[in-house]
Amino acid sequence: MERKTRIEKDSLGVMEVPISKYWGAQTQRSLSNFNIGNELVSLDLIKAVAAVKWAAASANEKCGKLDKKRANLIRTVSEEIISGKLNEHFPTHAYQAGSGTQTNMNVNEVIAHRANELARIHHFVHPNDHCNMSQSTNDVYPTAMNICALKLINKKLLPHINELIESLKKLEKKGEHIVKMGRTHIQDALPITFGEEVSGWRFSLENNVNMIKETEQYFYSINMGGTAVGTGFEAPKNYDKYCCDFLNKILKTNKFVVTKNKYHGTWSKDNFVYAHGAIKAMAANLFKIAQDVRFLASGPRSGFGEITIPANEPGSSIMPGKTNPTQCEGMAMICGQVMGHDTTISFLASQGNFELNTFGTVLMQNFIQSVTLFSDMIKSFNERCVSGIEINVDKMDYYVHHSLMLVTALAEHIGYEKSSEIAKYAYKNKLTLKQAAHKLKYIKDKDFNKFVNPNKMV
């Protein structure tokens, strides 16, 4: 019978591991000890750890601590992980020890096993002695968290939000000369162009992009070389600087620098609180925008009906022909989830004790979920809703010419009190403003026409 498992050993003893997998005893233990939920560690985070291993091996080689052959093997396997070739060998659950030890050791074990396979020498590369040389989970994992956050923000979130901004710019241009009623307190207010209304949406998201970008600088400061508690025990001289140099090389940037204080870099997660706060600010704006779109598209005959959004699917199992603003609802729900994640991240970041925060894995999972869910929802909201918005000009025009708040234009000519009386009289007697003004004889018809011009009020 073909053998299905092999024996792997760690400091606690031996474990049976599937023979086709590259992980070792510690990873296998984690599958039993942390069999929690269905969510696995994000492959983006795994690839970030692999980038750290690539840089650490190169730094150790430059410091004369690791021989060239082992360094090359570690780099080769790290590159395989980064390219996605070894995805099946990372089974650890997202909810695990708060420091991320299981994730770090999973990567160490896979690198070692695959490296030995390439070298055709049993036990030539050791997961701790070589793959984790001059390192601790406590500097590897925080650094990988930072790398992963930067990738998710720049490769997923910002591109999709910028695409949405471009769609809003087009809608803004389309509505730049279309006058409609503004609303405050959900009541009639002064006229505004639809383009001006959309410009507020667009500008708010541009602000959010700037806020998020501003937070990125705090992810480029890393604590590599701090090892277990920030002292740098067992890390050779200049190792930390070399790690940054090689991280910049593998990640094609020049921004990674050694943190000014490795103790803070080891235990603090304030950069995640700060960055996620900016993401939450965008959630607040997008929630508002989605609600605006939902209400403006309400109807089609019993609501505002000022815009029409794409009909993506039937909206009712009982009412034929009904369609619903499901993309707006989806966006609102995801924004609510992001706000919930923000509370979790803020709380967990506050729970660092002494030299380490032991809640990093759950904090990171919440951050990853926020950015991933948000990115996907923004893309969907743009493609299936915003980019297909049609303007109902006749409905906007109807509301403008039946609004009582146009009376504001008379206030500087006949005073606030008389203008208010005209509005109340028109409402009570179901008249237009012009008819009410004529009845009350507070202003001549020709002057009313001159002063009450919605196009001149925007």
Side-chain angles (χ1 to χ4, degrees):
M1 181 180 293
E2 185 179 356
R3 191 175 172 189
K4 293 183 178 180
T5 62
R6 68 177 190 277
I7 299 299
E8 289 285 344
K9 182 181 179 181
D10 63 9
S11 60
L12 292 181
V14 297
M15 293 289 292
E16 288 192 8
V17 175
I19 200 164
S20 62
K21 305 303 182 184
Y22 288 145
W23 66 74
Q26 288 202 48
T27 302
Q28 192 64 41
R29 289 185 195 283
S30 79
L31 299 182
S32 299
N33 295 335
F34 293 99
N35 185 16
I36 302 169
N38 299 315
E39 298 171 73
L40 302 184
V41 175
S42 164
L43 289 172
D44 286 318
L45 183 57
I46 293 292
K47 291 173 184 180
V49 176
V52 174
K53 298 300 171 180
W54 192 99
S58 301
N60 279 315
E61 181 188 15
K62 188 166 183 176
C63 290
K65 196 173 178 182
L66 183 65
D67 64 277
K68 185 175 182 178
K69 185 171 183 178
R70 288 187 174 91
N72 279 336
L73 286 166
I74 292 172
R75 281 191 290 262
T76 296
V77 182
S78 295
E79 289 169 9
E80 288 184 344
I81 295 171
I82 293 168
S83 71
K85 290 181 180 179
L86 304 180
N87 288 353
E88 65 179 283
H89 301 284
F90 299 100
T92 52
H93 286 254
Y95 300 101
Q96 54 177 263
S99 62
T101 299
Q102 285 72 29
T103 298
N104 183 35
M105 286 308 303
N106 186 188
V107 176
N108 285 334
E109 289 175 343
V110 169
I111 291 175
H113 192 95
R114 173 63 175 152
N116 292 330
E117 182 180 75
L118 292 173
R120 298 182 181 180
I121 305 174
H122 197 49
H123 296 320
F124 181 65
V125 176
H126 190 277
N128 296 86
D129 296 339
H130 304 119
C131 300
N132 206 61
M133 180 182 285
S134 306
Q135 302 157 61
S136 164
T137 297
N138 300 344
D139 57 3
V140 169
Y141 195 79
T143 299
M145 287 174 68
N146 287 7
I147 294 169
C148 183
L150 286 166
K151 179 182 178 182
L152 290 172
I153 288 170
N154 285 293
K155 300 297 184 182
K156 289 182 69 73
L157 183 59
L158 293 183
H160 290 324
I161 199 68
N162 284 326
E163 288 169 1
L164 176 56
I165 288 170
E166 289 304 311
S167 292
L168 290 173
K169 285 180 180 178
K170 292 177 183 177
L171 187 61
E172 181 182 344
K173 180 70 175 175
K174 192 187 298 185
E176 64 181 342
H177 299 304
I178 299 173
V179 179
K180 57 158 289 178
M181 287 311 299
R183 298 178 178 90
T184 58
H185 301 271
I186 322 181
Q187 302 293 311
D188 296 357
L190 291 173
I192 188 173
T193 70
F194 185 59
E196 288 171 335
E197 187 167 46
V198 174
S199 77
W201 302 344
R202 183 260 307 159
F203 186 77
S204 70
L205 298 184
E206 290 175 339
N207 261 0
N208 293 142
V209 168
N210 291 333
M211 291 175 186
I212 293 169
K213 284 183 175 178
E214 197 278 331
T215 70
E216 289 183 10
Q217 60 183 305
Y218 300 102
F219 288 116
Y220 285 108
S221 179
I222 61 172
N223 71 323
M224 285 302 292
T227 63
V229 293
T231 60
F233 181 70
E234 288 193 342
K237 185 178 179 180
N238 292 323
Y239 165 83
D240 52 359
K241 179 183 179 301
Y242 295 151
C243 269
C244 286
D245 291 342
F246 286 114
L247 266 180
N248 284 325
K249 183 177 180 180
I250 186 69
L251 297 173
K252 296 179 173 58
T253 183
N254 61 358
K255 296 182 179 180
F256 285 101
V257 295
V258 180
T259 180
K260 293 179 180 178
N261 189 301
K262 291 191 178 74
Y263 305 101
H264 168 268
T266 301
W267 64 257
S268 178
K269 299 292 179 283
D270 54 8
N271 53 344
F272 282 89
V273 177
Y274 186 44
H276 199 275
I279 293 170
K280 181 182 71 171
M282 186 163 67
N285 283 336
L286 277 169
F287 194 106
K288 187 267 184 193
I289 292 168
Q291 293 291 74
D292 281 358
V293 171
R294 186 163 74 102
F295 282 117
L296 291 177
S298 61
R301 293 185 176 178
S302 301
F304 289 106
E306 292 189 349
I307 61 175
T308 302
I309 57 177
N312 293 311
E313 64 272 312
S316 173
S317 61
I318 188 173
M319 293 175 279
K322 193 176 192 295
T323 58
N324 294 328
T326 51
Q327 290 295 310
C328 298
E329 293 162 2
M331 176 59 78
M333 288 188 285
I334 294 302
C335 288
Q337 183 65 74
V338 169
M339 292 174 186
H341 286 159
D342 191 74
T343 299
T344 301
I345 288 170
S346 300
F347 174 74
L348 295 175
S350 73
Q351 299 304 300
N353 302 118
F354 305 110
E355 278 62 62
L356 185 66
N357 180 300
T358 54
F359 299 87
T361 52
V362 180
L363 185 152
M364 191 62 197
Q365 183 67 5
N366 276 260
F367 190 91
I368 290 170
Q369 285 181 343
S370 277
V371 178
T372 302
L373 289 172
F374 219 175
S375 300
D376 292 345
M377 189 66 242
I378 289 168
K379 182 177 187 293
S380 182
F381 183 61
N382 178 37
E383 293 177 354
R384 294 174 174 81
C385 183
V386 174
S387 62
I389 287 176
E390 297 293 337
I391 305 170
N392 298 333
V393 179
D394 291 344
K395 201 64 175 283
M396 290 184 179
D397 188 65
Y398 174 85
Y399 286 140
V400 167
H401 288 93
H402 286 77
S403 172
L404 300 178
M405 289 304 100
L406 295 181
V407 78
T408 307
L410 296 178
E412 63 176 312
H413 302 288
I414 64 173
Y416 184 93
E417 297 296 336
K418 289 182 178 178
S419 300
S420 179
E421 191 177 343
I422 289 173
K424 291 177 181 178
Y425 188 84
Y427 180 70
K428 181 178 180 180
N429 294 282
K430 299 180 180 180
L431 301 172
T432 65
L433 286 175
K434 186 175 181 179
Q435 289 170 333
H438 180 81
K439 286 276 187 182
L440 294 172
K441 299 180 180 179
Y442 286 154
I443 188 169
K444 295 179 179 179
D445 288 354
K446 65 176 184 178
D447 290 332
F448 183 96
N449 293 336
K450 179 181 177 182
F451 300 140
V452 182
N453 184 340
N455 292 317
K456 293 181 178 180
M457 298 175 72
V458 296

